[in-house]
Amino acid sequence: MSFLFEKSLSEIRSQLLAKELTVTEVVEACLKRIEETEPSIQALISVQAEEALEQARAMDEAGPDESKPLWGIPLTVKDLLCTKGTKTTCGSKILENFEPFFDAFAVAKLKDAGAILIGKANMDEFAMGSSTENSAYKATKNPWDLNKVPGGSSGGSAASVTACQAFGTLGTDTGGSIRQPASLCGCVGIKPTYGRVSRRGMVAYGSSLDQIGPMTRSVEDNARILQVIAGHDDRDSTSVDVPVDDYLAALNREDLKGLKIGLPKEFWAEGLDREVESACRAAVAKLEELGAELVEVELPHSSYAIATYYIIAMAEASSNLARFDGVRYGYRSENAENLLDIYVKSRSEAFGDEVQRRIMLGTYVLSSGYYDAYYKKAAQVRRLIREDYLKALEKCDVLVGPASPVTAWNVGELTSDPLKMYLMDIYTISLNLAGLPGLSLPVGLGADSKMPVGIQLLGKEFDEATLYSVASLLEKNTEQLGTPAGL
């Protein structure tokens, strides 16, 4: 018999609507779970216990509302999504006391759907990192092994949902920051097509790359949340007005006959850990058993993805983070004697090492004399990378490959080697450059490490429905990981 907090979002929703559970009982179960697990995994920056309980009691008094798809469901969100009246720190000292006066579009959609926000998830500062060790507040641990990292930058979100602190969460993905931690923690995470979910109210890192997406313990739960937050926002110029498919209907597929699945040879080459390759190959074989036709494809410019991504992302970060100057809001140095001092000391004291490193590199590649050599060239290569994906997806419906080259590594193992840390995103970065959707789901534990292994499904623009249909079938035919032992 499973504990209440281990149930799926879909199960809890059914029980709430049938009045088999009260919202208060569900919220209390999650808060108790947070109290039990948070000292060890450090997944949340803040917990909104009183507000959540007050909202739960009011909902119980009013009674179930079937028109709201997430009615009474406790969720967490990454701490760079603005939440009205609740601090939004971005994992940084510079925003330690920042309280937004509005909700991010995605957060507002969750609330309108009846969800209850019970916490803000830890993250690498301003989403810059692959291990959630760059937070100014705490280093999140992997629920499967507290000596391992959860991935990043949405590591707090991944750890929170994997540890059953909530029934779902929102993360953001600039270069793999949903899919990589989902893989390392053993949960389901999707990066929607760029423009599918409004970015309004998300504190920007790389404006042409960032995208919000849900992380959950099952494919069905993930589809339920994306169904709520997807859609056009006329107050966001990067939001695209394209009809939203019925993602739940896509889960009813019985086989994969007639579907072509591409295997990019660059994703299965040297550098892929053997136990990760073994688990992912077994999943691919399962897809073939279900009726899919396998096709080998090439992404010839993917070898340039790391360099291209970091030039573009750091350039955009340099521009976006210029607003945090100690003048209008955020941290201001107490030692400043003049205006220049305010700028220099506030930013030097409040930004972490990785953020400062990326700002400096971004400023350099945008500087006079270097713009054409670096940023312009990276933008040109980005177009070639996108064209590679579009050509590959003309031959098949979905691309499949590992989400991470390795399973979770030890805490502190890569913090002194930024370049090696950057390579941990080698299989996820190119998709952000192309602006296409990608979904990561667990396919087992590594034979040696006993840590989760994730596979990612990559699709055509605005075709998240096909990703869900394939992922759902694979999930049903793969042994589920369950809740991490010892938590």
Side-chain angles (χ1 to χ4, degrees):
M1 180 179 174
S2 64
F3 292 103
L4 191 157
F5 57 76
E6 291 181 308
K7 293 180 183 290
S8 70
L9 183 158
S10 301
E11 288 177 303
I12 291 295
R13 180 176 186 272
S14 295
Q15 290 186 281
L16 285 171
L17 294 179
K19 295 188 176 181
E20 295 171 9
L21 288 172
T22 66
V23 181
T24 302
E25 287 174 332
V26 175
V27 170
E28 285 177 343
C30 288
L31 292 175
K32 185 179 179 183
R33 182 64 174 169
I34 290 171
E35 189 178 324
E36 293 169 348
T37 59
E38 189 57 20
S40 57
I41 65 170
Q42 301 283 287
L44 303 175
I45 287 179
S46 63
V47 179
Q48 288 73 54
E50 291 183 13
E51 298 92 328
L53 284 170
E54 183 179 339
Q55 188 178 348
R57 294 185 192 107
M59 294 174 91
D60 282 332
E61 190 173 332
D65 186 346
E66 197 167 351
S67 68
K68 295 188 174 183
L70 299 176
W71 187 84
I73 303 293
L75 303 175
T76 60
V77 297
K78 189 174 180 178
D79 202 25
L80 53 49
L81 296 173
C82 287
T83 44
K84 184 176 180 179
T86 300
K87 288 182 181 179
T88 299
T89 70
C90 296
S92 179
K93 183 179 177 182
I94 207 161
L95 287 178
E96 61 185 344
N97 293 313
F98 173 58
E99 282 192 15
F101 58 86
F102 70 102
D103 283 323
F105 180 86
V107 172
K109 296 278 273 186
L110 292 180
K111 290 182 176 179
D112 289 345
I116 299 175
L117 300 188
I118 60 171
K120 303 292 294 288
N122 192 30
M123 56 180 285
D124 285 301
E125 185 178 5
F126 284 103
M128 298 181 191
S130 302
S131 64
T132 317
E133 294 173 286
N134 291 334
S135 170
Y137 301 100
K138 57 183 77 173
T140 299
K141 309 299 191 301
N142 193 309
W144 288 92
D145 183 340
L146 299 178
N147 296 310
K148 306 283 187 182
V149 300
S153 63
S154 304
S157 295
S160 175
V161 76
T162 301
C164 302
Q165 293 183 340
F167 297 98
T169 187
L170 292 186
T172 64
D173 194 311
T174 306
S177 289
I178 286 175
R179 291 161 289 144
Q180 184 252 31
S183 175
L184 268 53
C185 287
C187 62
V188 179
I190 190 169
K191 181 206 89 68
T193 306
Y194 185 81
R196 173 80 290 174
V197 178
S198 171
R199 296 172 52 256
R200 178 163 56 88
M202 176 179 69
V203 181
Y205 160 24
S207 299
S208 71
L209 302 161
D210 299 332
Q211 188 60 198
I212 300 166
M215 306 174 79
T216 56
R217 294 192 290 275
S218 77
V219 174
E220 181 182 350
D221 291 353
N222 203 277
R224 285 188 183 278
I225 296 179
L226 185 60
Q227 195 77 63
V228 167
I229 64 173
H232 182 241
D233 175 13
D234 57 12
R235 295 167 67 187
D236 173 11
S237 62
T238 65
S239 175
V240 181
D241 191 3
V242 172
V244 179
D245 292 329
D246 186 341
Y247 301 133
L248 292 174
L251 307 181
N252 298 325
R253 189 167 186 152
E254 295 181 356
D255 58 48
L256 298 179
K257 291 176 181 176
L259 198 82
K260 289 186 178 181
I261 291 183
L263 303 178
K265 70 174 189 178
E266 294 82 3
F267 282 26
W268 301 91
E270 186 180 352
L272 178 60
D273 188 82
R274 281 183 297 177
E275 64 175 359
V276 174
E277 181 176 9
S278 177
C280 290
R281 291 279 186 193
V284 170
K286 185 65 68 176
L287 293 173
E288 191 172 24
E289 282 178 31
L290 291 166
E293 178 187 344
L294 302 184
V295 181
E296 186 176 271
V297 296
E298 294 184 15
L299 301 172
H301 295 95
S302 62
S303 59
Y304 303 109
I306 293 279
T308 302
Y309 169 83
Y310 278 102
I311 289 172
I312 291 172
M314 291 182 187
E316 293 182 1
S318 170
S319 175
N320 281 323
L321 270 62
R323 71 194 69 180
F324 304 113
D325 54 11
V327 176
R328 285 159 287 193
Y329 57 90
Y331 176 86
R332 178 184 292 191
S333 174
E334 296 179 355
N335 304 313
E337 296 180 0
N338 53 51
L339 183 60
L340 184 60
D341 260 5
I342 290 176
Y343 294 152
V344 174
K345 291 184 177 179
S346 297
R347 290 166 66 84
S348 298
E349 292 169 12
F351 282 141
D353 290 345
E354 182 62 28
V355 173
Q356 293 190 43
R357 180 184 295 116
R358 297 194 189 198
I359 290 173
M360 290 169 66
L361 286 169
T363 303
Y364 176 78
V365 301
L366 290 175
S367 60
S368 177
Y370 296 100
Y371 177 90
D372 286 351
Y374 291 104
Y375 187 80
K376 183 179 178 181
K377 182 63 68 177
Q380 292 169 335
V381 175
R382 179 182 190 172
R383 178 179 55 80
L384 296 176
I385 290 171
R386 175 175 165 82
E387 288 178 355
D388 287 346
Y389 271 102
L390 296 180
K391 287 177 183 176
L393 286 165
E394 287 176 0
K395 302 176 183 176
C396 50
D397 302 289
V398 174
L399 304 180
V400 173
S404 170
V406 297
T407 56
W409 56 93
N410 290 328
V411 172
E413 184 178 343
L414 300 181
T415 50
S416 61
D417 191 345
L419 293 180
K420 195 170 182 181
M421 184 80 83
Y422 295 166
L423 290 172
M424 292 300 103
D425 297 329
I426 191 167
Y427 297 138
T428 56
I429 273 175
S430 58
L431 194 73
N432 295 80
L433 293 168
L436 300 175
L439 182 151
S440 173
L441 75 156
V443 290
L445 297 177
D448 299 322
S449 66
K450 305 303 178 187
M451 296 297 290
V453 174
I455 198 167
Q456 62 172 339
L457 312 175
L458 316 176
K460 300 176 181 179
E461 275 188 318
F462 302 104
D463 191 18
E464 289 82 4
T466 298
L467 297 185
Y468 279 132
S469 67
V470 176
S472 179
L473 262 179
L474 182 57
E475 180 183 60
K476 291 170 185 173
N477 289 274
T478 304
E479 185 178 349
Q480 298 305 295
L481 300 185
T483 305
L487 281 180

